[in-house]
Amino acid sequence: MTTRTPRTEEVLAAADAIIDAFAATDGGRYFAGFAPEASFLFHTEAARLDDRAAYEALWQGWVEGGWRVLDCRSTARLVQAYPGGAVFSHDVATRVDTGEGEDAYRERETIVFRVDGAQLLAVHEHLSPASA
């Protein structure tokens, strides 16, 4: 059995589905793009989130506190595909309503995808602050 290398367009479509769902604060659609065992490393959190369920619980707390995404823009996109998966990286500018007011972030993000049958699932997301 040979391992399929995803096409650039396929990786971009999978990344865009995640980004678009995030921009809509649509948790169901957003988390559908991640494997259950996906890990998350965010500079805004004290520790790594070791699975999707941990991030879903954190997200739910944010939403219950009034948090929602107002805008999310992806630029400087790069796809690096390999047999069995791909790495997608980009710059992201996000505006959110925290429930107590607006906040904005300029960050760099990497999402690692694996081929899962006919689709791509994210297995890791890393978010770091963009340099000034």
Side-chain angles (χ1 to χ4, degrees):
M1 181 175 145
T2 60
T3 304
R4 180 171 72 81
T5 299
R7 297 176 334 280
T8 297
E9 299 77 25
E10 179 183 7
V11 178
L12 290 172
D16 284 340
I18 288 172
I19 294 164
D20 292 347
F22 180 83
T25 318
D26 184 338
R29 229 174 7 109
Y30 177 70
F31 288 108
F34 293 92
E37 71 279 7
S39 58
F40 304 86
L41 192 55
F42 302 143
H43 66 97
T44 55
E45 297 302 315
R48 182 185 60 233
L49 303 169
D50 289 336
D51 57 33
R52 186 179 71 197
Y55 185 15
E56 287 176 300
L58 181 64
W59 174 285
Q60 186 62 36
W62 293 341
V63 170
E64 288 172 0
W67 177 89
R68 67 186 176 96
V69 180
L70 301 172
D71 190 38
C72 183
R73 298 190 188 268
S74 170
T75 60
R77 299 151 66 91
L78 176 66
V79 171
Q80 297 168 284
Y82 56 87
V87 176
F88 169 77
S89 58
H90 65 143
D91 294 341
V92 62
T94 306
R95 278 188 323 111
V96 298
D97 179 345
T98 66
E100 297 178 6
E102 268 193 45
D103 208 349
Y105 315 100
R106 296 193 62 74
E107 298 162 309
R108 292 185 188 146
E109 181 176 50
T110 300
I111 302 173
V112 179
F113 290 97
R114 76 157 188 248
V115 172
D116 189 350
Q119 67 175 345
L120 292 175
L121 280 179
V123 294
H124 181 71
E125 181 180 7
H126 184 128
L127 195 61
S128 59
S131 302

